[in-house]
Amino acid sequence: MTAQPFHGVLVPVLTPFTANGEPDAGRFVAFCRRLLAQGAGGLAIFGTTSEANSMAPGERMALLDRLVEAGIPAEKLMPGIGACAVTDAVALARHAVGHGCGGVLMLPPFYYKPVSDGGIFAFVSGVIDKVGSPTLRVYLYHIPPVAVVGYSLDLVGRFIKAYPQTVVGLKDSSGDWSNTAALLARYPEFAVFPGSEVFLLDALRNGGAGCITATGNINVSGIAKLYANWRGPQADALQAEVTTVRKAMQAYPMVPALKRVVAHFHGDPGWAAVRPPLLPLDEAQSAALIGDLAKIGFTLGEREQRAA
Amino acid sequence: MTAQPFHGVLVPVLTPFTANGEPDAGRFVAFCRRLLAQGAGGLAIFGTTSEANSMAPGERMALLDRLVEAGIPAEKLMPGIGACAVTDAVALARHAVGHGCGGVLMLPPFYYKPVSDGGIFAFVSGVIDKVGSPTLRVYLYHIPPVAVVGYSLDLVGRFIKAYPQTVVGLKDSSGDWSNTAALLARYPEFAVFPGSEVFLLDALRNGGAGCITATGNINVSGIAKLYANWRGPQADALQAEVTTVRKAMQAYPMVPALKRVVAHFHGDPGWAAVRPPLLPLDEAQSAALIGDLAKIGFTLGEREQRAA
């Protein structure tokens, strides 16, 4: 197992779109800079929350180019390379490696079902072998509620054994703590990130590396504070606070709801735009969401206000 | 509702790969020509059986270019434009329209789950509106066992109403005859193709346009004979014959099994190659499959032998 560079709260960054539906590089760069300033340990751009699969590979690569040109440190970036075709995944991975990204987050191929562990292994190993770079760091992206196809516990072990220098971690968005706990127990040197801050303290107490969480887009300073203080006396109270925000958000479709919150608190209505098949919240949902957040006393925190 | 150009047995053509794993245009052109000579009413290239989602959009477009350059009539082609990003689907659809293809076969966006009918409508209508061509003919591709996301009966009606000149048909690969029957009953002017020849006679007796079936890759002349004689006294016997072949194939993973049969009967072992996440049949499975086909007396039919 090689050293892996990511720890703490990673944010799967929302992708803003222009009024024409094009990726909005200007808003994206500014938002990424702000998240890092607020304490993000890394930016898992181009994940599910980022609507990455609603963008062509070329659109994703152009956004990454803009981030790096703008001076966002590439080692802080873990771009998703999710694709159903080895060809697309290889192009995305080579591009990320070329920029010196700290790692890449890799979905299994998600079109065919059922698909065997052997087939998933052939896909991922095909990408790794074709990229052929000693600096490639792959984080497996396990999100069966959305991708349906996932990485089984045994398959994870097979990757660790076959590619100890390359396959160094996993984002577990199963929503199933027992799976995260099993990964932590079986592969103690492997970097496991639950896909929700609800499990952050439990994960850290069991050897986890942090979390990669959608809600980081609006509450990174709160979650980072928990990460910084997880061994301290306030840890459980801090966990309860971030869990309260997460649960409020989970009552709504997550991606449109997060974008609506950013639009609201930044006074920038255009931020709420999504690409199909996602739809924006309607006005009634938006009002209810903002009301729910007000009830729990949520505003963008002090550090967010300073950075905004 | 506009006239739609496809009837009879459409084949979702297998995509051959070279020893290096690249799409093999030479084998592909020859195979497409043979299928048309054997009685295919059209070629639904780039579907699930074609491993289309295991190819980058550019790879699919290059194969279509080669088919058209080789003189395959574009009006016989119904390329799949399946993609999770509107941008990719638009590029594929424009390319097909530019070549004068008879239609395109369109998956719903298949990454996010659950996704609302409204979100699927926004995706498909976004593609149609952006292509903006009066010659675009869209066939909806309903295959929930694989894509998970599908087109509900009500959503199909919404498309027919909104785009009567454009959304003209549907491939129903639900494997659920009650869904096909409901489509035929509710939308009698709409071109419904079940995704298996097992339902061909039932579909034709209820107003269906034909079928689009994976097994057409190895048994197109048998299925075309049923289509040509479906009103005749032999219809039920012909249906039973093609059903027997289909059931034999369904005991194996369909795409690798079909490729293995082509490889065997054409004496061309390279034809068996698949792209990950699919895996080729192993030797034991291959022997069992060829044995099963021998038991039911299946060989490539007279017309296939002549064309080969």
Side-chain angles (χ1 to χ4, degrees), chain B residues 43-54:
Chain B
L43 302 177
I45 56 174
F46 312 148
T48 302
T49 306
S50 318
E51 299 172 80
N53 288 311
S54 302

Side-chain angles (χ1 to χ4, degrees), chain A residues 20 22 47-57 59 83-88 107 109-116 118-120 122-123 130 141 143 145-148 255 275-279, chain B residues 20 22 47-57 59 83-88 107 109-116 118-120 122-123 130 141 143 145-148 255 275-279:
Chain A
N20 291 332
E22 302 300 315
T48 302
T49 306
S50 319
E51 299 171 82
N53 288 310
S54 301
M55 292 189 278
E59 293 179 305
C84 296
V86 165
T87 359
D88 282 329
L107 283 170
F110 55 85
Y111 181 65
Y112 288 102
K113 294 119 194 156
V115 63
S116 65
I120 299 171
F123 184 98
K130 281 189 173 67
Y141 186 9
I143 181 167
V146 178
V148 181
V255 178
R275 271 196 172 174
L278 301 187
L279 295 175
Chain B
N20 290 332
E22 302 301 315
T48 302
T49 306
S50 318
E51 299 172 80
N53 288 311
S54 302
M55 292 190 279
E59 292 179 306
C84 295
V86 165
T87 0
D88 282 329
L107 283 170
F110 54 85
Y111 181 65
Y112 287 102
K113 295 120 193 154
V115 62
S116 65
I120 299 171
F123 184 97
K130 281 189 173 65
Y141 186 9
I143 182 167
V146 179
V148 181
V255 178
R275 271 196 172 176
L278 301 187
L279 295 175

Side-chain angles (χ1 to χ4, degrees), chain B:
Chain B
M1 189 70 52
T2 190
Q4 71 84 24
F6 292 100
H7 301 277
V9 186
L10 276 65
V11 182
V13 186
L14 293 163
T15 306
F17 296 106
T18 65
N20 290 332
E22 302 301 315
D24 185 334
R27 279 194 181 104
F28 187 58
V29 167
F31 194 67
C32 285
R33 192 173 280 137
R34 188 179 294 150
L35 291 168
L36 288 173
Q38 289 165 355
L43 302 177
I45 56 174
F46 312 148
T48 302
T49 306
S50 318
E51 299 172 80
N53 288 311
S54 302
M55 292 190 279
E59 292 179 306
R60 299 187 234 174
M61 291 192 262
L63 279 179
L64 175 55
D65 290 341
R66 289 288 297 270
L67 281 190
V68 174
E69 284 162 18
I72 303 288
E75 65 269 24
K76 292 286 187 190
L77 299 176
M78 185 196 286
I81 59 164
C84 295
V86 165
T87 0
D88 282 329
V90 167
L92 289 161
R94 279 191 182 136
H95 183 255
V97 165
H99 272 307
C101 290
V104 299
L105 189 58
M106 188 166 184
L107 283 170
F110 54 85
Y111 181 65
Y112 287 102
K113 295 120 193 154
V115 62
S116 65
D117 275 8
I120 299 171
F121 186 86
F123 184 97
V124 173
S125 63
V127 173
I128 293 172
D129 296 347
K130 281 189 173 65
V131 173
S133 168
T135 63
L136 175 66
R137 297 285 173 275
V138 171
Y139 295 79
L140 303 173
Y141 186 9
H142 180 60
I143 182 167
V146 179
V148 181
V149 179
Y151 296 106
S152 69
L153 286 170
D154 286 345
L155 181 56
V156 171
R158 191 170 162 195
F159 282 120
I160 294 172
K161 191 168 175 192
Y163 297 100
Q165 307 300 316
T166 304
V167 180
V168 296
L170 179 142
K171 175 181 182 189
D172 185 1
S173 294
S174 64
D176 172 6
W177 169 252
S178 71
N179 189 64
T180 310
L183 284 163
L184 289 165
R186 278 177 68 165
Y187 310 116
E189 305 297 312
F190 195 60
V192 175
F193 297 84
S196 166
E197 69 274 32
V198 167
F199 304 118
L200 178 55
L201 192 51
D202 285 334
L204 293 170
R205 286 172 174 165
N206 288 277
C211 67
I212 305 178
T213 177
T215 340
N217 280 284
I218 60 163
N219 195 25
V220 67
S221 64
I223 308 166
K225 191 173 172 188
L226 166 58
Y227 178 71
N229 294 283
W230 75 269
R231 293 173 194 274
Q234 298 302 312
D236 289 289
L238 292 168
Q239 175 67 68
E241 276 179 34
V242 301
T243 296
T244 300
V245 176
R246 175 76 182 200
K247 300 277 187 194
M249 293 302 299
Q250 285 182 175
Y252 299 87
M254 185 58 85
V255 178
L258 287 168
K259 287 188 150 180
R260 191 65 190 77
V261 172
V262 173
H264 175 80
F265 283 101
H266 293 188
D268 181 0
W271 242 107
V274 294
R275 271 196 172 176
L278 301 187
L279 295 175
L281 299 193
D282 62 29
E283 286 311 308
Q285 284 177 306
S286 297
L289 167 62
I290 301 302
D292 286 353
L293 292 178
K295 271 180 227 156
I296 61 169
F298 177 83
T299 55
L300 292 192
E302 215 179 288
R303 294 167 71 187
E304 278 89 344
Q305 298 291 5
R306 263 212 313 279

Side-chain angles (χ1 to χ4, degrees), chain A:
Chain A
M1 188 68 53
T2 189
Q4 70 84 25
F6 293 101
H7 300 277
V9 186
L10 275 65
V11 182
V13 186
L14 294 164
T15 306
F17 295 106
T18 66
N20 291 332
E22 302 300 315
D24 186 333
R27 278 194 182 104
F28 187 58
V29 168
F31 194 66
C32 285
R33 191 172 280 138
R34 188 179 294 150
L35 291 168
L36 289 172
Q38 289 166 356
L43 301 178
I45 56 174
F46 312 149
T48 302
T49 306
S50 319
E51 299 171 82
N53 288 310
S54 301
M55 292 189 278
E59 293 179 305
R60 297 188 236 173
M61 290 192 263
L63 278 180
L64 175 56
D65 290 341
R66 291 288 297 272
L67 281 190
V68 174
E69 284 162 17
I72 302 289
E75 67 268 24
K76 291 288 187 188
L77 300 176
M78 186 197 284
I81 60 166
C84 296
V86 165
T87 359
D88 282 329
V90 167
L92 289 162
R94 279 191 181 135
H95 183 255
V97 165
H99 273 307
C101 290
V104 299
L105 189 58
M106 189 168 183
L107 283 170
F110 55 85
Y111 181 65
Y112 288 102
K113 294 119 194 156
V115 63
S116 65
D117 275 8
I120 299 171
F121 186 86
F123 184 98
V124 173
S125 63
V127 173
I128 293 171
D129 295 347
K130 281 189 173 67
V131 173
S133 167
T135 64
L136 175 66
R137 296 283 174 275
V138 171
Y139 294 78
L140 303 173
Y141 186 9
H142 180 60
I143 181 167
V146 178
V148 181
V149 179
Y151 296 106
S152 69
L153 286 171
D154 285 346
L155 181 55
V156 171
R158 192 170 162 194
F159 282 119
I160 293 172
K161 192 169 175 190
Y163 297 100
Q165 306 300 317
T166 304
V167 180
V168 296
L170 179 142
K171 175 181 181 186
D172 185 1
S173 295
S174 64
D176 173 6
W177 169 252
S178 71
N179 189 65
T180 310
L183 284 163
L184 289 165
R186 278 177 68 166
Y187 310 117
E189 305 298 312
F190 194 60
V192 175
F193 296 85
S196 166
E197 70 273 33
V198 167
F199 304 118
L200 179 54
L201 192 51
D202 284 336
L204 294 170
R205 286 173 174 164
N206 287 278
C211 67
I212 305 178
T213 178
T215 340
N217 281 284
I218 60 162
N219 195 26
V220 68
S221 64
I223 309 168
K225 190 173 173 188
L226 166 58
Y227 178 70
N229 294 282
W230 75 269
R231 293 174 194 271
Q234 298 301 313
D236 289 288
L238 291 167
Q239 175 68 67
E241 276 180 34
V242 301
T243 295
T244 300
V245 176
R246 175 76 183 201
K247 299 278 186 194
M249 293 303 299
Q250 284 183 176
Y252 299 87
M254 185 58 85
V255 178
L258 288 168
K259 286 187 151 181
R260 190 67 188 75
V261 172
V262 173
H264 175 80
F265 283 102
H266 293 188
D268 181 0
W271 243 106
V274 295
R275 271 196 172 174
L278 301 187
L279 295 175
L281 299 194
D282 63 28
E283 286 312 307
Q285 283 177 308
S286 297
L289 167 62
I290 300 302
D292 286 354
L293 292 178
K295 271 180 229 156
I296 60 168
F298 177 82
T299 53
L300 292 192
E302 216 179 288
R303 293 168 71 188
E304 280 88 344
Q305 299 291 5
R306 264 210 314 278

